[in-house]
Amino acid sequence: MNAPLSAYASPARAHPPLKTLAAALRIALLGLTMTAAALPHAVRAQEAAAPSAAGVLHFSLPAGPLATTLDRYARIAGVNVSYEAAQLAGVRSRGLEGDYTVEGALQALLADTGFEAVARGGGYAVRRGAARPSSAGGEVPVLDAVRVRAEAESLHPLPALQAGGQMARGGRLGMLGNADVMDAPFSVSSYSVGMIEDRQAVSVADVVGNDPSIRISGHPGDILDTFFIRGFPIGDQNSGEIAFDGVHGVAPNYRVRVDYAERIEVIKGPTALLYGMSPASSVGGTINIVPKRAGADDLTRFTASASPNAQYGGHLDLSRRFGPDRRLGIRFNGSVHDGDTGIDKQSRAATVGALALDYSGDRLRATLDIVDQREDIDAPSRRPFLGAGVAVPSAPDGRRNVSQRWERFETEDQSVLARVEYAASEQLTLFAGVGGGRTRVDRLFGNPTVLNAAGDTSTVPQRFRFDVDRSTAEAGLRARFGTGPVRHVVSAQVSTYRDRLGRISANGTAVLSNLYAPFDSPAQDVQLAGDVPRVSVTELSGFALSDTLSMYDERLQLTLGVRRQRVETDNFNPLNGALTTAYDESALTPLVGIVVKPWQRVALYANHIQGLSRGDIAPPSASNAGEVFAPYKARQNEVGVKAEIGGVIATLSAFQITKPSGQLTGTVFAVDGEQRNRGVELALSGEAAPGLRLLGGVTLLDADLTQTNSAATLGRTAVGVPSFMANLGAEWDATFLPGVTLTGNVMHTGSQYVDRANTLRVPDWTTVDLGARYRTTVAGRATVFRAQLRNAFDRNYWAGVSQYGSLVQGAPRMLLLSATVDF
């Protein structure tokens, strides 16, 4: 029996860090496009002279009959595989996940099954090996699941992928380390590099927006990505909220691009114990970037991308291992993107260079990550505010842009992180890390204010320069031991984070325009006087201790922990550098989490965990001016159930998060405000049937202002929080078109209030994305072509409301095209 043929290759994007390499990449992109146009439309695998083991492909094969698995392997690898169906009857495979050569993947599939593959006629023939495992007594030979890349060659072995390959089976829980999703007492999502590439994601926002409990509170043409997780805002200017390899203070400040991301993890809810207090006091959840590392096989991958009349670019991904036993790994990702964005008057130039080094010895393992990211935007989109007494206007065309052509945003980010891990024994591991980042911003733009129902706007352009410098360090240990029938994993960590913010600004002259018919105004040259003065210095330091106890073959797991966090902030007068206010407080934040597995594929979990926000200092207008308040503690209580149903993992959870806040009542400033978010989430992901993958879910939210200083706002719904959100994404491998996958995604968001009194709101909205990809071989090279039509029906909508009450314009319809080739 001959299996269908086609080839697969994960996307490859070009990624040089320096602008001087931009011209070279553009030439390479042009050459690749011309070469592809000259090649046949499709090259059948039968025409290949012999199986090639040079290219590295990504395999995502679910459990099932070995014969079926081999058929699917053949379609991905683009080779003929022949076998006698009668010989394979009753033999099953648990699947294959990861990046492998064609030959290596086939060997992994057949390992321990009693079968072997031999090259024959440009393909492979599967036959009985010398010694086949006995199947007496009706036992069926089963192939163990194969994990992504060799664990011995990775500093932090990654959790295996789920069936379908879009999501991982677990993620990093901060100081607790990696955990399988069924062992985590939290709601955890971990998006794989395959999903990132197949969605043609540019930034983290393009990925996490697929989660039904997350909504993006920034326009795609804006200068930064911001989010709401479980109804609480995440990320803002100068925040650095996204973690990199488990720590804050390293990832780029405004927009984190995904070129160097192997996984994008989301832990929902407060995470003060796991990651420490976030730099901007976010409590809805934590997003963590798992950087790419050199894999077991060499990789040279290039992706060319384009959008008609808009951006074009390229991404290069190189991976090599060297030295005795290939213990030294090098991974480089570089990209250049340039051109118009599809939004009126707007263009963007972005370059990224990311170098990842790792060493894996018998006991010592170390990594070094260096990232350079730059982005320049002309006419950046901005979120409009509503003027006094102005109702919410109808949403304009997503292409419309009230920003002026001469308005601009320029940012540079450089980051470095070094980590080391030493296995002192089988029971004790020591770890440490040090790193930081710097951001330099020069911008000239303003936020428009809507003046009337006709959509007229007024904008005061502001020239700003920001300097943000961050440093981070941590050290700790993880010990494993037993006390009778109870197993312990004890983690201890000391950590510190420090940032310094400098800022200088000047205002221009108000500019008039219109949401629906923007018009140009003369350019303004707004000058700044002097260097960038220091305005604040913040240091977050702490000590954390946790113990995960397990018993009954890990069917019962209890995690206990506590972190002592100290928060110090000095604020300075930018004119003379004098200290204006100082803050120095500390707090304890505990964690209690439990997981019970009554059945093999079902886990019940619950947690109580707290988040931490810096307390306020009473303002000068208050009668208690200067009073320093202790850090605010957000508290989450959550219960849920996780179940594996076939190839799908589903999580159903119910949670409540309360977050206090300070407010001025009369002349006294006090901490007597509170927002309470209650919700129910259903999330599912995986392969529902062979060739059919699902990703999505539903979130119901009730976000109330439970304590306020006004009867007009008490009990009202919090700004920018919809009561209903739903996502459903599907991928189907078309059986009648080998190598072709059809994709679709539907996203719905309920209405949201713009003001605390709930007198204004934006309506609900639904968008549909459609796409397709084709995996084949071109000139003997594994190749994948992708096309995606976002907002396919070109709906005009307000996508949301920011935490400050500004409106977020929806994205226009956009066609994205890319081609990936493995060399």
Side-chain angles (χ1 to χ4, degrees):
M1 176 178 178
N2 290 332
L5 311 171
S6 69
Y8 168 88
S10 298
R13 299 172 182 146
H15 222 71
L18 302 177
K19 294 183 179 179
T20 55
L21 296 180
L25 276 175
R26 292 168 185 163
I27 293 172
L29 173 59
L30 178 61
L32 178 65
T33 304
M34 295 176 65
T35 301
L39 292 170
H41 177 69
V43 179
R44 298 291 181 183
Q46 294 95 326
E47 298 171 355
S52 172
V56 178
L57 308 179
H58 182 83
F59 293 88
S60 179
L61 305 175
L66 180 59
T68 301
T69 303
L70 289 173
D71 290 347
R72 301 188 68 190
Y73 157 83
R75 287 196 296 269
I76 293 174
V79 297
N80 268 331
V81 178
S82 60
Y83 54 84
E84 293 185 19
Q87 288 189 345
L88 299 188
V91 181
R92 292 182 60 82
S93 165
R94 290 182 181 170
L96 179 71
E97 289 286 353
D99 295 343
Y100 296 90
T101 62
V102 170
E103 182 178 356
L106 186 55
Q107 291 176 350
L109 277 174
L110 297 177
D112 300 325
T113 65
F115 290 86
E116 63 182 8
V118 295
R120 178 178 297 173
Y124 292 99
V126 175
R127 66 186 186 186
R128 290 184 187 273
R132 183 185 184 189
S134 172
S135 59
E139 294 184 4
V140 178
V142 176
L143 170 64
D144 289 337
V146 181
R147 298 183 62 170
V148 181
R149 298 188 179 89
E151 290 193 1
E153 297 183 0
S154 173
L155 176 63
H156 298 292
L158 295 177
L161 296 178
Q162 291 180 215
Q166 293 183 306
M167 305 288 288
R169 283 194 54 91
R172 180 167 181 165
L173 305 182
M175 67 170 289
L176 302 181
N178 284 333
D180 187 272
V181 65
M182 304 298 285
D183 294 324
F186 310 99
S187 179
V188 180
S189 302
S190 182
Y191 299 90
S192 72
V193 65
M195 184 270 190
I196 294 170
E197 293 168 338
D198 285 339
R199 295 296 175 98
Q200 301 185 84
V202 173
S203 72
V204 168
D206 296 326
V207 179
V208 300
N210 293 282
D211 192 302
S213 65
I214 300 178
R215 282 300 178 261
I216 312 304
S217 56
H219 187 272
D222 206 343
I223 65 171
L224 77 165
D225 293 334
T226 55
F227 319 90
F228 276 81
I229 303 180
R230 288 187 168 177
F232 287 101
I234 305 291
D236 192 16
Q237 297 181 26
N238 315 314
S239 64
E241 287 292 81
I242 295 179
F244 183 94
D245 203 15
V247 298
H248 293 293
V250 177
N253 193 74
Y254 283 79
R255 177 177 286 110
V256 178
R257 301 180 75 90
V258 297
D259 307 64
Y260 41 85
E262 180 73 26
R263 303 272 172 88
I264 297 177
E265 302 171 337
V266 180
I267 301 178
K268 300 170 191 175
T271 59
L273 173 88
L274 306 178
Y275 286 89
M277 177 179 166
S278 69
S281 304
S282 300
V283 299
T286 293
I287 300 172
N288 180 53
I289 303 298
V290 179
K292 292 178 179 178
R293 300 274 179 241
D297 297 300
D298 291 345
L299 175 69
T300 302
R301 181 171 292 165
F302 182 78
T303 295
S305 60
S307 181
N309 302 317
Q311 288 270 300
Y312 61 91
H315 174 194
L316 179 65
D317 190 352
L318 294 171
S319 175
R320 298 288 188 273
R321 299 203 74 86
F322 303 96
D325 301 323
R326 294 166 59 84
R327 293 188 172 187
L328 176 63
I330 300 177
R331 187 78 176 260
F332 171 77
N333 280 267
S335 73
V336 168
H337 292 83
D338 203 352
D340 297 333
T341 66
I343 298 171
D344 292 347
K345 302 180 287 186
Q346 186 177 99
S347 63
R348 172 185 281 120
T351 63
V352 179
L355 182 65
L357 308 177
D358 74 271
Y359 173 80
S360 296
D362 295 332
R363 291 181 177 270
L364 179 67
R365 293 171 290 179
T367 61
L368 176 65
D369 290 280
I370 303 172
V371 178
D372 182 288
Q373 179 175 303
R374 303 164 190 244
E375 186 172 31
D376 297 342
I377 307 175
D378 292 331
S381 302
R382 298 304 294 153
R383 294 167 282 190
F385 287 91
L386 296 178
V390 177
V392 176
S394 59
D397 187 321
R399 299 169 185 80
R400 300 295 171 257
N401 186 7
V402 298
S403 296
Q404 300 297 312
R405 298 179 188 275
W406 43 267
E407 291 185 285
R408 58 183 173 78
F409 171 80
E410 301 170 359
T411 182
E412 298 180 2
D413 289 274
Q414 288 86 37
S415 306
V416 63
L417 177 64
R419 301 182 72 92
V420 63
E421 186 175 286
Y422 180 71
S425 67
E426 293 184 2
Q427 291 77 35
L428 179 63
T429 300
L430 308 177
F431 60 87
V434 61
R438 65 189 298 270
T439 301
R440 298 294 181 264
V441 175
D442 192 343
R443 73 183 209 192
L444 174 61
F445 59 72
N447 279 83
T449 298
V450 181
L451 303 176
N452 51 45
D456 292 327
T457 64
S458 176
T459 304
V460 177
Q462 295 176 304
R463 174 78 182 279
F464 268 94
R465 284 181 60 194
F466 290 103
D467 289 351
V468 186
D469 295 281
R470 296 187 174 91
S471 61
T472 182
E474 67 172 16
L477 60 85
R478 188 167 294 114
R480 297 171 175 83
F481 59 91
T483 55
V486 181
R487 300 297 301 171
H488 298 262
V489 179
V490 173
S491 298
Q493 179 198 61
V494 292
S495 62
T496 182
Y497 163 92
R498 188 178 189 273
D499 66 39
R500 177 192 183 279
L501 172 63
R503 181 178 60 230
I504 188 172
S505 64
N507 291 345
T509 304
V511 173
L512 300 179
S513 190
N514 185 276
L515 289 176
Y516 311 106
F519 49 86
D520 294 336
S521 294
Q524 297 184 25
D525 183 16
V526 182
Q527 297 294 321
L528 297 175
D531 297 327
V532 179
R534 177 182 61 173
V535 296
S536 70
V537 174
T538 297
E539 183 168 348
L540 310 175
S541 57
F543 171 77
L545 180 66
S546 69
D547 185 6
T548 298
L549 304 88
S550 60
M551 57 200 78
Y552 307 117
D553 195 23
E554 298 188 347
R555 289 182 177 272
L556 174 61
Q557 300 179 51
L558 175 66
T559 300
L560 304 172
V562 66
R563 180 183 292 269
R564 183 185 185 277
Q565 186 83 59
R566 184 179 181 184
V567 186
E568 302 171 83
T569 299
D570 293 332
N571 298 304
F572 303 92
N573 186 318
L575 299 179
N576 57 25
L579 180 68
T580 56
T581 58
Y583 184 95
D584 187 349
E585 292 287 338
S586 61
L588 293 175
T589 51
L591 160 67
V592 179
I594 188 170
V595 176
V596 180
K597 299 178 183 177
W599 303 282
Q600 182 178 4
R601 296 181 179 272
V602 175
L604 309 177
Y605 76 95
N607 67 67
H608 171 82
I609 190 170
Q610 297 185 0
L612 205 59
S613 305
R614 190 187 71 175
D616 289 315
I617 300 175
S621 58
S623 58
N624 57 336
E627 182 179 351
V628 176
F629 291 86
Y632 302 151
K633 290 184 180 181
R635 294 172 171 83
Q636 172 178 277
N637 294 310
E638 178 180 10
V639 296
V641 57
K642 302 172 185 178
E644 292 188 65
I645 306 170
V648 174
I649 295 180
T651 301
L652 177 65
S653 60
F655 63 88
Q656 173 178 289
I657 304 175
T658 57
K659 181 183 179 182
S661 60
Q663 56 187 356
L664 191 65
T665 303
T667 62
V668 179
F669 186 88
V671 181
D672 54 5
E674 182 185 78
Q675 178 178 331
R676 183 192 65 201
N677 290 8
R678 290 174 170 170
V680 176
E681 296 172 351
L682 172 63
L684 56 88
S685 60
E687 192 156 35
L692 177 62
R693 294 170 291 280
L694 301 177
L695 176 62
V698 174
T699 297
L700 304 176
L701 265 178
D702 180 17
D704 291 338
L705 302 177
T706 51
Q707 297 180 28
T708 71
N709 57 5
S710 169
T713 58
L714 184 62
R716 302 297 186 181
T717 299
V719 169
V721 183
S723 60
F724 180 78
M725 298 179 288
N727 293 53
L728 180 59
E731 295 188 347
W732 178 56
D733 298 332
T735 54
F736 58 91
L737 293 172
V740 172
T741 300
L742 305 178
T743 68
N745 186 63
V746 179
M747 180 182 295
H748 176 81
T749 302
S751 61
Q752 302 165 57
Y753 288 106
V754 181
D755 62 326
R756 287 168 60 89
N758 293 177
T759 60
L760 301 171
R761 67 178 178 178
V762 299
D764 62 351
W765 55 270
T766 303
T767 59
V768 177
D769 300 336
L770 301 174
R773 60 180 180 266
Y774 177 46
R775 308 181 193 281
T776 185
T777 54
V778 177
R781 302 294 182 183
T783 303
V784 57
F785 299 97
R786 294 181 176 86
Q788 187 178 37
L789 188 63
R790 295 183 180 175
N791 190 7
F793 300 107
D794 203 20
R795 172 164 185 178
N796 301 330
Y797 61 103
W798 293 116
V801 183
S802 77
Q803 60 178 307
Y804 302 112
S806 58
L807 305 182
V808 180
Q809 191 172 344
R813 177 166 57 199
M814 179 134 345
L815 176 64
L816 304 178
L817 304 171
S818 68
T820 296
V821 181
D822 278 11
F823 294 96

